[in-house]
Amino acid sequence: MVSKSDQLLIVVSILEGRHFPKRPKHMLVVEAKFDGEQLATDPVDHTDQPEFATELAWEIDRKVLHQHRLQRTPIKLQCFALDPLSSAKETIGYIVLDLRTAQETKQAPKWYQLLSNKYTKFKSEIQISITLETDTKAQVDSFKAKGAPPRDGKVPAGLSGVDPKDMVAVLNEEGGYHQIGPAEYCTDPFILSVTIAFATQLEQLIPCTMKLPERQPEFFFYYSLLGNDVTNEPFNDLINPNFEPERASVRIRSNVEVLRVYLALHSKLQIHLCCGDQSLGSTEIPLNGLLKKGSTEINQHPVTVEGAFTLDPPNRAKQKLAPVPQELAPTVGVSVALQREGIDSQADEKTLTGPKSPRGSPVPPQNQTPPVKDDATESEVESLQYDKDPKQSAKGISSVPASLAQPVAASNASEVVTSGQKIAVPAASHHFCFSIDLRSIHGLEISFPVNCILRYSYPFFGSAAPIMTNPPVEIRKNMEVFLPQSYCAFDFATMPHQLQDTFLRIPLLVELWHKDKMSKDLLLGIARIQLSNILSAEKTRFLGANGEQCWRQTFSESVPVIAAQGSNNRIVDLSYTMTLEDYGLVKMREIFVSDSSQGLSAVQQKPSSPLPAPCPSEIQMEPRETLEYKAALELEMWKEMQEDIFETQLKQKELAHMQALAEEWKKRDRERESLVKKKVAEYSILEGKLEKALTELENREQQLASAEMELQRERKELQSERERNLQELQDSVRRARDDCVHQVELERLKLKQLEEDKHRLQQQLNDAENKYKILEKEFHQFKDQQSNKPEIRLQSEINLLTLEKVELERKLESATKSKLHYKQQWGRALKELARLKQREQESQMARLKKQQEELEQMRLRYLAAEEKETVRTEQQELLDIRNELNRLRQQEQKQYQDCKEIASGKLGSPRGSAPEDGLDDYLTRLIEERDTLMRTGVYNHEDRIISELDRQIREVLSKSIASNS
C-alpha cells in the first residue's frame, strides 16, 4: 500500500514572460503535458510581458517518481497564441523541463527560452519554477489550472490506495506475462484470449467506387491485445471468407478487482478488417461485461463475451453512406474469454509473450500454422504431413502448401506459440533457414540527431508481425552506429522455384523510424533490400546436425535509405548481412503419410520386405509350388489389386473433381447471388435517391420558372423606369441648355448696354474736358490780367513768401520726426496697391476661366448622366455655380466702382473740407502729397489723381487770395 506521506505533488509555477511581440486580438496560453495528463493555464493578453501567474500540479507517489527520473521523463510546456473569435490555436514554441531538477526545497524561478520559436526576431522567455510538495492535505491555491480529462471507472474500497493511473499492462519479459496493477496485487495468473471464428457479408464493406490492388488482394482481421498487434491468417475471398478459427491469448498476472477496474478503464476492443494498410471496417467488443461486480463466476469457469458483431465502414457519417439492411450487414463472429490459468484451451491459439533478445543463433519455431486448404496439396497423391509429436520434426519446421508460398517464420524478435492441425507439405519442399543481420547505419545526411529504430516485415517467411530493433539508438552526422538486437532468423519450408520467384519479385523493405517521447513516431525513410542478390552468391557446403549435406549462401552490402516524404534523397546508409541455408528435402522419417495415402504406402512397402531363401530340398517341387511361382503369382495379384486400387482412386478423383466443380459452381452461384443482392440493394437506395432528386428537381424547376417570370417582370419595370429616368434627364438637360442660352443672351444684352453707356460717358467726358480747357484758358487770361496789376503782384509775392516760410518751418519740423519714414511707407503702399490690383485682375481672369471650364465640364456631365438623382445633384451644383458667378460679378463691379472712385478723387474729398482758418496747412499737405506721389515714379502729371491734386491746390490758393483781399 502507498502511504499518505509518500504522495507528492509536482508543482510547475508559470510566472511571467518577456520579449513577446504585441498582438492585441490574441491571447496566450501554456499547456503542460506529463505522464499522459495535460494541464493548461488560463488565457492571458498577448503582450510583450504577459503575466501567467499559474501553478500546475500532478499527483504522484515516490516510487513512480523514481521510475520517471530513471527514465528521464520530461515535462513539456507548449505555448500557443489563441484567437478568441475563431478559437484557432497557433503554436509559438515549447520548453522541456527535466524532472530530475525538481526538489522538495523551494527554488528560485528561472528564465527558459522558447525552443522552435515562431517569433524568430524575438528571444521569447518564460519564468518557471518546478518543485516537489508533500501532499498531506488538500491545498487551496490562489491559482487553479485546468484539470486533465476525467477517467472512467472507480477504484473499489479495498483498493483505495491504488491510483487508476497505475492500471497499465507492463510486460514481464522474464516471466512471459503482462502485469496489471501494483506488484503487491499481482498474485493470480489469468489468460485473456480473443477468437475470431467466422465472418459474413464482408463484400458490403467495399463500395463500388473503391479500387482494390491489381494483384489478388489479401484480407485479414487486426486488433491490439494489451499492446500486441495481432492479425489472423489472410484470406482472398470476401464473399465466402475461408479461414480457420484462431485464438490469440496473453498471460496476465493480476487480481480480480484490479482486472475489473482495468477492464472498466479499457472497456472496448476494436477489431478491424484490413486490406494492406487500409481499414475497410471495424467493430467494438465491450469488455466491461467480463467481470461483473460481486460475481465469482471466473473462479468456476471462464467468463466470455461472444456473438456476431456488425462491421461499420470508416467515417460512415462523413461519407453519407446509406444504412445497410440487417440481413446484408457485414458481421464478424468474435469470442473474448477470460479465465484463470490452468484450464486447457481447445481452440487454435497464439500466446503473445512479448519480445525476446534477437541476438544469437536462430531460434527454431515452436508453432504450427492452422490448417489451410489448398488444391495443389490435395492433388498430390503422396502428400505428407508432420507428425503430431514436435520431437519427430526437423527443428520443429512448420510447413504450408507450396502453391501459397507463405511459409511460417520463426523469428527470435518475438516468441509466438500456436497450436493447430497438421498441414500437408509437397514432397518437393526444402527446409530453408534465412537469417538477416542489420549491422549498422552510417553517413547521416540530416542536420539533427535521429533516435532511430529499424522495422520490417516479410509475410513470405510466415509472419506478418513486424520485426523491430530495440532499444532506439541515436545517430549523428559523421558517425557509424551498430544496431542492437538486429539479428533475426526464419525457418520455413517451401519449394526452391517459389523461393527464387518470391525473392526476385518482392524486395525486403526496411523502415527507418525516429522515436520521440514528446511526439508521435516519425517515418524518415525506407531502404530496399533485393533478396535475390543472395541467390547469385557463392555456395558453401556444410554438414547438418544429422550428417546430411547442406548448402549456405552469404551476401553483405550497404544500401541507401531513401526519404519517405519529399524528394527522393538519401538519408543514411544501412549495412547488412543475410544468409540462406538449404537443408535439402524434408526427410521421410520426419513425417508420416496422410490418411488418404496410408493404404497405398503400406502396399508399396510390402514387396520391399526380404524374401526367404529357397531350401535345397524344394528345388524339385512342382512349378506351381515353387517360391518363384508363388512370388510371381503374388506379384500378379498385387498388380491386379493395384489396378483395382488405381481404378478406385481414379473414380474417387473423378468424383472429387466433380464435387469440386459442383462446389465451385455453387460457390460462384452464391457469389453472383450475393452480388445481385448487393446491386439490388444499392440500386434500390439509388432509386430512392433518384426519386428524391427528381422531386427536388421538379420543385426547383417550378421555382426557377416562377423566379424567371418574376425576373422578366422586374426587368420590364427596370427598363421602363430607366426610359423614364432617361426622358427626365433629357428634359432636364434641355431645360438647362435653354436656361444657359437665355443667360448668355441676357449677358450679351447687358454687355451691349454697358458698351452704349461707355460711349455715352466717353462723350460726356470729352465734352467736360473741352469745357475744362476753355475754362482753364479763361482762367489763365484772367490771372494774367490780375497779375499785371502791381498791388496784386505784390500781394501775391507776400503770400508766396509767407507760404514758403510756413512750409519751410513745417518741413523742418517734420524732417526731425518721420518725414522720411512716411514717404517710404507711402511709396511701398502704393507699389503694393499696384501689385495687388494687377494680381487681383489676374486671379479674377484665371478664376473666371476656370469657372468657364468647370461650367463646360458640368454641361458635358449633364449630357452623360443617366440617373435622376445625379441630374438633381448637378442642377444644385449649377445653381451654386450661378450664385458664385453672380457674387464674383458683383465683387468685380464693386472693385471697378472703387477704382473709379479712387480715379475720380472721391477718396480724397474729405481733405477738401478743411476749415478756412487752416487753409495754409491744408495747402501744404496737398502740395506734399502731390510731390510724394510724383517722387514714387508711378504717377505723372497726366494722371487723374495728380490733376485732381493740382486742381485742389489752385482752389485753395484762390480761396486764400480771396480771403486776404
Side-chain angles (χ1 to χ4, degrees):
M1 297 291 292
V2 180
S3 61
K4 185 91 170 181
S5 60
D6 288 340
Q7 291 291 330
L8 296 175
L9 287 177
I10 302 175
V11 181
V12 176
S13 301
I14 305 174
L15 304 178
E16 59 178 340
R18 64 185 180 186
H19 306 316
F20 283 84
K22 292 184 179 180
R23 297 178 70 178
K25 296 182 180 180
H26 286 75
M27 308 289 284
L28 278 176
V29 64
V30 177
E31 294 182 357
K33 187 175 183 180
F34 172 71
D35 194 21
E37 292 191 26
Q38 183 171 301
L39 306 178
T41 64
D42 294 327
V44 298
D45 294 335
H46 197 315
T47 60
D48 55 347
Q49 292 184 350
E51 295 284 343
F52 296 101
T54 303
E55 289 186 354
L56 308 178
W58 293 268
E59 292 183 1
I60 196 171
D61 62 79
R62 293 183 184 273
K63 184 177 180 181
V64 178
L65 176 63
H66 181 65
Q67 294 178 356
H68 282 298
R69 283 182 168 176
L70 290 177
Q71 297 173 0
R72 299 186 180 182
T73 304
I75 300 177
K76 186 174 182 180
L77 282 71
Q78 284 189 295
C79 186
F80 297 95
L82 180 64
D83 188 355
L85 299 179
S86 62
S87 300
K89 286 170 52 176
E90 183 181 3
T91 303
I92 297 177
Y94 67 92
I95 296 172
V96 178
L97 300 179
D98 191 353
L99 187 59
R100 296 175 296 175
T101 61
Q103 304 294 332
E104 295 190 32
T105 58
K106 192 71 175 179
Q107 295 181 349
K110 297 181 181 179
W111 288 97
Y112 294 86
Q113 187 171 347
L114 287 180
L115 303 177
S116 298
N117 192 358
K118 179 184 182 329
Y119 308 125
T120 55
K121 296 182 180 179
F122 298 85
K123 295 183 178 180
S124 306
E125 297 178 328
I126 299 179
Q127 192 178 32
I128 302 172
S129 68
I130 176 172
T131 57
L132 294 177
E133 297 181 2
T134 304
D135 189 14
T136 56
K137 60 180 180 178
Q139 300 179 0
V140 180
D141 299 330
S142 57
F143 309 109
K144 295 182 179 180
K146 296 179 180 179
R151 296 174 177 265
D152 297 331
K154 298 181 180 179
V155 178
L159 304 175
S160 58
V162 179
D163 193 344
K165 293 184 294 186
D166 297 337
M167 301 297 181
V168 293
V170 181
L171 175 64
N172 188 322
E173 296 186 4
E174 297 180 358
Y177 60 84
H178 288 78
Q179 175 181 321
I180 298 179
E184 56 267 24
Y185 292 100
C186 298
T187 58
D188 301 333
F190 297 90
I191 294 179
L192 177 64
S193 60
V194 178
T195 304
I196 298 180
F198 64 89
T200 60
Q201 306 292 344
L202 297 183
E203 71 276 3
Q204 298 294 335
L205 293 174
I206 301 182
C208 297
T209 58
M210 181 178 178
K211 185 177 181 181
L212 293 175
E214 295 181 358
R215 295 189 301 173
Q216 187 176 15
E218 290 187 346
F219 306 94
F220 58 90
F221 286 99
Y222 161 82
Y223 56 92
S224 179
L225 188 59
L226 296 187
N228 298 280
D229 294 338
V230 183
T231 60
N232 72 331
E233 291 298 329
F235 54 93
N236 306 104
D237 190 1
L238 277 183
I239 298 178
N240 294 307
N242 184 14
F243 59 89
E244 292 294 331
E246 185 174 319
R247 183 170 66 190
S249 302
V250 289
R251 297 174 59 208
I252 299 173
R253 187 66 61 87
S254 184
N255 180 287
V256 175
E257 297 297 330
V258 174
L259 273 181
R260 182 180 292 114
V261 176
Y262 178 81
L263 293 177
L265 294 173
H266 308 81
S267 60
K268 292 180 180 179
L269 173 67
Q270 198 169 49
I271 298 178
H272 295 265
L273 174 65
C274 302
C275 178
D277 57 354
Q278 183 178 5
S279 175
L280 303 179
S282 63
T283 186
E284 292 182 346
I285 315 300
L287 301 180
N288 50 7
L290 286 174
L291 292 176
K292 298 179 181 178
K293 190 172 182 180
S295 174
T296 60
E297 188 179 2
I298 193 173
N299 297 326
Q300 287 79 26
H301 56 82
V303 292
T304 60
V305 172
E306 57 188 7
F309 299 90
T310 303
L311 291 166
D312 293 325
N315 301 328
R316 174 181 287 275
K318 185 181 293 187
Q319 296 179 9
K320 299 180 180 179
L321 298 177
V324 180
Q326 187 65 31
E327 62 274 7
L328 297 178
T331 57
V332 58
V334 182
S335 174
V336 181
L338 178 65
Q339 62 183 0
R340 290 187 179 272
E341 192 172 1
I343 302 176
D344 296 334
S345 72
Q346 299 175 0
D348 300 329
E349 175 180 338
K350 286 183 181 178
T351 304
L352 307 177
T353 59
K356 299 292 183 182
S357 174
R359 280 289 178 186
S361 61
V363 179
Q366 303 175 7
N367 63 329
Q368 289 183 347
T369 59
V372 180
K373 184 178 181 180
D374 186 74
D375 296 338
T377 304
E378 292 178 350
S379 64
E380 295 287 343
V381 178
E382 297 179 357
S383 62
L384 304 176
Q385 285 186 328
Y386 282 104
D387 197 340
K388 206 167 189 177
D389 187 2
K391 295 180 181 179
Q392 298 179 3
S393 63
K395 291 190 177 182
I397 302 173
S398 298
S399 63
V400 297
S403 62
L404 290 179
Q406 295 291 335
V408 175
S411 169
N412 53 1
S414 63
E415 182 184 351
V416 181
V417 179
T418 63
S419 62
Q421 300 176 4
K422 299 177 291 295
I423 301 175
V425 179
S429 296
H430 283 225
H431 172 204
F432 291 99
C433 178
F434 179 85
S435 63
I436 184 169
D437 185 9
L438 306 177
R439 291 187 173 181
S440 65
I441 52 178
H442 53 86
L444 184 66
E445 295 292 337
I446 305 177
S447 58
F448 59 87
V450 177
N451 197 29
C452 66
I453 66 169
L454 295 181
R455 179 181 184 272
Y456 64 90
S457 175
Y458 204 76
F460 178 77
F461 293 146
S463 175
I467 310 299
M468 293 181 291
T469 61
N470 190 44
V473 294
E474 183 177 2
I475 182 173
R476 300 175 182 271
K477 268 197 170 184
N478 303 322
M479 285 180 57
E480 181 176 7
V481 177
F482 291 90
L483 299 169
Q485 300 185 6
S486 60
Y487 177 84
C488 192
F490 304 91
D491 278 313
F492 57 95
T494 187
M495 288 185 287
H497 71 89
Q498 289 180 340
L499 176 72
Q500 183 177 3
D501 180 64
T502 303
F503 279 10
L504 287 172
R505 287 188 301 106
I506 305 175
L508 177 63
L509 302 180
V510 181
E511 300 174 348
L512 176 65
W513 289 80
H514 172 64
K515 301 280 288 185
D516 190 357
K517 293 183 179 180
M518 308 306 297
S519 63
K520 294 177 62 177
D521 295 348
L522 177 62
L523 176 61
L524 296 180
I526 299 175
R528 182 181 295 268
I529 297 177
Q530 192 64 35
L531 299 181
S532 59
N533 293 332
I534 198 171
L535 300 176
S536 58
E538 182 181 359
K539 289 186 178 182
T540 58
R541 182 183 302 175
F542 70 97
L543 296 179
N546 297 324
E548 68 274 12
Q549 182 176 339
C550 307
W551 297 92
R552 179 185 292 119
Q553 292 173 282
T554 303
F555 181 80
S556 301
E557 71 167 346
S558 180
V559 294
V561 178
I562 307 302
Q565 296 180 356
S567 59
N568 294 328
N569 294 330
R570 185 185 69 85
I571 298 177
V572 74
D573 290 332
L574 169 64
S575 297
Y576 71 94
T577 298
M578 55 182 175
T579 303
L580 179 64
E581 296 178 351
D582 184 0
Y583 294 98
L585 293 172
V586 178
K587 300 299 184 296
M588 292 291 293
R589 63 180 180 81
E590 297 173 345
I591 56 178
F592 66 92
V593 182
S594 60
D595 297 338
S596 62
S597 60
Q598 281 180 355
L600 175 62
S601 299
V603 175
Q604 289 173 342
Q605 292 173 2
K606 186 174 181 179
S608 63
S609 60
L611 298 175
C615 298
S617 62
E618 298 178 351
I619 296 176
Q620 301 299 326
M621 294 177 62
E622 292 293 330
R624 295 181 181 273
E625 298 296 330
T626 60
L627 294 177
E628 290 81 356
Y629 182 82
K630 290 181 179 180
L633 181 60
E634 187 176 356
L635 181 60
E636 290 297 329
M637 293 177 63
W638 177 81
K639 287 181 180 180
E640 291 180 0
M641 184 178 63
Q642 289 299 316
E643 289 178 358
D644 295 339
I645 293 174
F646 184 70
E647 291 178 359
T648 304
Q649 288 181 349
L650 283 179
K651 291 180 181 179
Q652 291 177 354
K653 284 187 178 182
E654 183 180 5
L655 181 60
H657 283 299
M658 293 300 295
Q659 291 178 352
L661 288 174
E663 290 294 331
E664 184 66 23
W665 280 111
K666 290 180 181 179
K667 177 183 175 181
R668 293 188 181 183
D669 287 339
R670 288 195 300 269
E671 292 177 357
R672 286 193 291 269
E673 184 179 357
S674 177
L675 289 175
V676 167
K677 288 182 180 179
K678 180 181 178 182
K679 292 295 183 182
V680 168
E682 292 179 356
Y683 290 157
S684 300
I685 296 172
L686 290 176
E687 185 178 3
K689 290 183 178 180
L690 286 175
E691 291 179 355
K692 183 178 179 182
L694 285 175
T695 305
E696 293 178 354
L697 284 176
E698 291 177 356
N699 296 333
R700 187 175 179 183
E701 187 177 1
Q702 294 177 359
Q703 293 176 0
L704 287 175
S706 59
E708 186 177 359
M709 294 177 60
E710 182 69 20
L711 180 63
Q712 291 179 355
R713 185 183 60 80
E714 291 181 356
R715 184 178 297 172
K716 290 180 180 179
E717 293 179 356
L718 184 62
Q719 184 69 21
S720 60
E721 184 178 358
R722 181 176 178 275
E723 293 177 355
R724 186 171 61 255
N725 293 335
L726 184 60
Q727 185 64 33
E728 292 179 357
L729 181 61
Q730 291 177 353
D731 295 341
S732 300
V733 171
R734 182 176 51 78
R735 288 194 297 270
R737 187 184 294 111
D738 295 340
D739 291 340
C740 290
V741 171
H742 181 66
Q743 290 293 332
V744 170
E745 292 295 331
L746 290 177
E747 293 296 330
R748 287 177 180 174
L749 292 176
K750 288 181 180 180
L751 182 61
K752 185 177 181 180
Q753 184 68 30
L754 288 175
E755 291 290 338
E756 293 177 355
D757 293 341
K758 177 182 177 182
H759 288 299
R760 182 174 54 80
L761 291 175
Q762 187 69 31
Q763 187 66 31
Q764 292 178 359
L765 181 60
N766 293 333
D767 295 342
E769 287 179 354
N770 294 331
K771 289 181 181 180
Y772 174 73
K773 289 179 181 179
I774 295 171
L775 291 174
E776 189 175 5
K777 185 177 180 180
E778 291 177 354
F779 175 73
H780 281 298
Q781 291 177 358
F782 176 75
K783 187 177 180 180
D784 292 339
Q785 292 175 4
Q786 292 294 328
S787 61
N788 291 330
K789 294 180 180 181
E791 61 274 8
I792 297 300
R793 189 181 299 112
L794 182 60
Q795 187 64 37
S796 299
E797 291 178 357
I798 292 172
N799 293 333
L800 289 173
L801 291 174
T802 303
L803 289 174
E804 288 178 0
K805 177 184 176 183
V806 173
E807 184 178 358
L808 289 174
E809 290 178 353
R810 192 190 62 77
K811 286 181 180 181
L812 181 61
E813 184 178 359
S814 62
T816 57
K817 294 181 182 179
S818 60
K819 178 178 179 181
L820 183 61
H821 177 70
Y822 173 77
K823 290 180 180 180
Q824 291 175 354
Q825 289 295 329
W826 181 255
R828 194 176 298 138
L830 291 175
K831 291 179 180 180
E832 185 68 24
L833 179 62
R835 283 197 301 270
L836 287 175
K837 186 188 302 181
Q838 184 178 1
R839 189 182 303 166
E840 183 66 22
Q841 290 177 355
E842 292 177 355
S843 63
Q844 289 294 335
M845 292 298 294
R847 191 181 299 117
L848 183 60
K849 184 177 180 181
K850 182 178 180 180
Q851 288 172 355
Q852 289 177 353
E853 293 177 355
E854 291 178 355
L855 182 61
E856 183 66 21
Q857 292 178 0
M858 287 294 180
R859 187 179 68 81
L860 295 175
R861 190 183 305 168
Y862 280 134
L863 294 175
E866 292 183 1
E867 295 181 3
K868 185 176 182 180
E869 188 62 28
T870 306
V871 172
R872 293 179 180 176
T873 305
E874 291 177 350
Q875 287 180 351
Q876 184 64 33
E877 290 178 356
L878 182 61
L879 183 60
D880 295 340
I881 292 172
R882 187 182 302 163
N883 294 333
E884 182 68 19
L885 287 174
N886 293 333
R887 185 181 63 78
L888 292 174
R889 190 179 293 110
Q890 291 176 3
Q891 185 177 357
E892 184 178 1
Q893 290 178 358
K894 184 178 179 180
Q895 291 178 356
Y896 180 73
Q897 291 295 333
D898 292 339
C899 293
K900 286 178 65 178
E901 290 177 358
I902 292 174
S904 61
K906 290 182 180 181
L907 297 177
S909 60
R911 298 176 182 264
S913 60
E916 293 180 358
D917 54 355
L919 289 176
D920 294 338
D921 294 336
Y922 181 60
L923 181 60
T924 303
R925 285 195 300 274
L926 289 177
I927 294 171
E928 185 177 357
E929 288 180 6
R930 183 192 63 187
D931 296 341
T932 302
L933 292 175
M934 291 294 294
R935 281 194 294 269
T936 59
V938 178
Y939 300 97
N940 51 25
H941 288 286
E942 295 179 358
D943 291 333
R944 186 179 296 275
I945 189 170
I946 300 299
S947 302
E948 182 66 24
L949 288 175
D950 290 338
R951 185 185 63 77
Q952 292 181 3
I953 289 173
R954 286 194 298 271
E955 288 180 358
V956 172
L957 285 175
S958 62
K959 288 181 181 180
S960 176
I961 293 171
S963 62
N964 290 333
S965 61

